[in-house]
Amino acid sequence: MKIAIVCYPTFGGSGVVATELGLELARRGHEIHFITYSQPVRLALLNPNIHYHEVHVPEYPLFHYQPYELALSSKLVDMVKLYGIELLHVHYAIPHAYAGYMAKKMLKEQGIKIPMVTTLHGTDITLVGNHPFYKPAVSFSINHSDIVTSVSQDLKDDTYRLFDIKREIEVIPNFIEIDKNRIDTTSECHRSLMATETQKIVTHISNFRKVKRIPDVIKIFNEIQKKMPAKLMMVGDGPEKAPAEALCEELGISDKVIFFGNSHEISKILCFSDLFLLPSETESFGLAALEAMASGVPVISSNTGGLPEVNKEGVSGYLGNVGDVDYMAEKAIEILSDDAKLFEFKSNALKVSQEFDVQQIVPMYEKVYRKALKMHAK
Ligand code: GMT
């Protein structure tokens, strides 16, 4: 199949999922066209089945806001015609489903029928899309997609609860390439660079937005380090990074916390991590938790959104109520202070992550594509 993938190219989870999906589809012989405003961070272009088309938005002084949706839908129309693309897969409702719908309409006028699959990722529904300024356009784009998928059952339920949706939504969970994620622990895992033998390594990875509850990460770690020698790895960047650095200073733990900023070496960091913290306010899925688990790292998370569908209570880690720092710290200390227990949680985390292996999940998307093409052939 010839598929156009529209996504956000940045460090966010939706862009990562869309990129990894395109790469796997290309390996399976599909021709994939990424259409976005800059090259997705995880996109490796050295594959004859991978194409990348950049959307340019010309600056014009009259425009207070540059019309990205217009440029995107025009680019979609041009690329569909040029490459004979058969299907659009847009990730994130805003504005991609809306732009995709416009492209479909323009193409239809020119005698080209093309189906559109929309994947909902979370923030486009629960945080941004739900705003009254966007809601009618988001409902419209969802209702007018040929097939809609969501990354968790919880997000599907939220979508029905928050929007006026009159159609079926299929759940296709996010996935992970287990083998790629695990690195050779004997030669590549440089634990000794980061901590001493006796220190436990706790890690958090995110885009440091408010929704991630970064102060909770620091407070949980603060409790841990009172009970045992420990180090905290903070990976990523965003508006909450500077306040987090200030909080570490205030608590007197700056020497035990490393702020990496955005990193392309996630697997290398996860390979020496003992525990992953994700106490988010909301999380439609929690891809970062799954990535940690696939590296054999147990997770202490909040029990919000789709997280209980990924992190299994008492098996791959523990889940506490949002903001319950004491409970999450208590469970973290429980796991970290008993080596046998830590070993068991580590192997359980890896086992649970295997349910989300790329080879199980990507065929679900292929099935959805076949269905969308069939619907359109009628
Ligand atoms: O929250 C993020 O890290 C970014 C955000 C995004 O929009 O890219 O992630 C959302 O989509 C990811 C991939 O499906 C999910 O794993 C995240 O849970 C989800 N974030 C939220 O729901 C807050």
Side-chain angles (χ1 to χ4, degrees):
M1 280 177 248
K2 293 185 179 188
I3 303 161
I5 291 185
V6 180
C7 64
Y8 282 106
T10 48
F11 275 92
S14 62
V16 169
V17 170
T19 308
E20 296 290 351
L21 173 63
L23 293 172
E24 178 58 23
L25 288 167
R27 280 192 284 270
R28 288 166 175 258
H30 302 286
E31 186 178 304
I32 304 301
H33 295 260
F34 285 94
I35 302 184
T36 181
Y37 58 81
S38 71
Q39 188 178 325
V41 283
R42 289 208 193 170
L43 185 60
L45 283 168
L46 281 180
N47 180 323
N49 284 338
I50 297 279
H51 304 256
Y52 163 57
H53 313 290
E54 195 158 309
V55 180
H56 297 281
V57 189
E59 297 261 332
Y60 185 60
L62 189 70
F63 297 147
H64 184 57
Y65 302 106
Q66 306 304 318
Y68 178 65
E69 292 89 310
L70 238 66
L72 174 59
S73 44
S74 295
K75 189 79 177 183
L76 284 170
V77 168
D78 289 346
M79 294 305 105
V80 166
K81 283 165 47 187
L82 189 63
Y83 290 95
I85 291 168
E86 298 158 281
L87 183 136
L88 309 179
H89 187 176
V90 302
H91 292 258
Y92 220 82
I94 306 170
H96 299 154
Y98 197 69
Y101 173 79
M102 288 312 296
K104 258 177 72 118
K105 283 283 162 200
M106 287 187 267
L107 286 161
K108 196 170 171 211
E109 282 218 327
Q110 299 172 42
I112 301 170
K113 280 171 76 183
I114 185 161
M116 177 170 80
V117 175
T118 297
T119 292
L120 308 175
H121 280 276
T123 31
D124 49 347
I125 295 301
T126 48
L127 296 182
V128 197
N130 187 30
H131 192 285
F133 291 174
Y134 296 123
K135 213 166 173 169
V138 172
S139 298
F140 178 89
S141 328
I142 293 175
N143 283 326
H144 286 81
S145 300
D146 293 282
I147 294 185
V148 178
T149 73
S150 83
V151 299
S152 66
Q153 180 61 42
D154 185 80
L155 179 60
K156 174 178 170 171
D157 297 343
D158 273 347
T159 310
Y160 284 122
R161 187 171 54 80
L162 298 168
F163 296 87
D164 183 19
I165 302 302
K166 302 176 177 64
R167 49 147 331 112
E168 186 50 38
I169 297 176
E170 297 188 28
V171 176
I172 302 186
N174 288 332
F175 55 87
I176 188 98
E177 202 181 330
I178 309 269
D179 296 340
K180 188 175 120 192
N181 224 54
R182 276 183 83 74
I183 68 169
D184 180 357
T185 43
T186 43
S187 63
E188 285 188 276
C189 198
H190 305 296
R191 186 187 172 103
S192 58
L193 285 179
M194 296 299 157
T196 62
E197 278 283 300
T198 54
Q199 281 173 323
K200 291 289 187 273
I201 300 184
V202 180
T203 298
H204 170 80
I205 304 173
S206 77
N207 44 25
F208 284 61
R209 288 177 301 142
K210 269 238 151 27
V211 69
K212 303 295 174 184
R213 295 187 69 96
I214 302 296
D216 287 5
V217 175
I218 311 277
K219 288 177 198 161
I220 295 167
F221 175 73
N222 188 32
E223 294 310 310
I224 296 172
Q225 64 84 36
K226 285 179 191 165
K227 300 282 183 211
M228 65 191 78
K231 278 289 235 346
L232 175 63
M233 312 283 130
M234 295 291 275
V235 186
D237 208 342
E240 292 291 296
K241 186 168 169 258
E245 285 164 329
L247 180 58
C248 291
E249 202 61 47
E250 196 187 304
L251 294 170
I253 54 171
S254 293
D255 58 328
K256 294 178 181 165
V257 184
I258 301 176
F259 286 89
F260 285 87
N262 286 327
S263 171
H264 288 283
E265 301 199 292
I266 300 296
S267 313
K268 288 189 180 171
I269 295 168
L270 287 172
C271 91
F272 52 63
S273 301
D274 294 304
L275 192 70
F276 190 79
L277 300 179
L278 195 63
S280 307
E281 185 78 33
T282 176
E283 205 67 70
S284 69
F285 183 86
L287 186 65
L290 178 60
E291 291 191 326
M293 286 158 58
S295 292
V297 184
V299 174
I300 300 288
S301 71
S302 48
N303 54 16
T304 183
L307 278 170
E309 294 169 51
V310 183
N311 184 20
K312 303 288 185 234
E313 172 78 10
V315 181
S316 55
Y318 286 100
L319 301 92
N321 292 333
V322 172
D324 194 346
V325 167
D326 291 344
Y327 177 80
M328 289 189 250
E330 181 195 315
K331 288 299 176 189
I333 292 162
E334 189 182 307
I335 295 180
L336 291 172
S337 52
D338 178 342
D339 278 349
K341 197 174 242 181
L342 180 58
F343 182 79
E344 194 188 327
F345 270 89
K346 283 186 173 187
S347 61
N348 285 346
L350 178 59
K351 240 181 254 157
V352 174
S353 76
Q354 279 156 355
E355 292 168 26
F356 300 90
D357 185 58
V358 64
Q359 301 307 332
Q360 318 245 22
I361 309 296
V362 171
M364 295 185 190
Y365 279 113
E366 287 177 303
K367 197 170 160 202
V368 155
Y369 298 156
R370 285 194 292 272
K371 191 163 133 192
L373 286 170
K374 225 185 203 165
M375 280 160 63
H376 250 247
K378 279 184 194 160

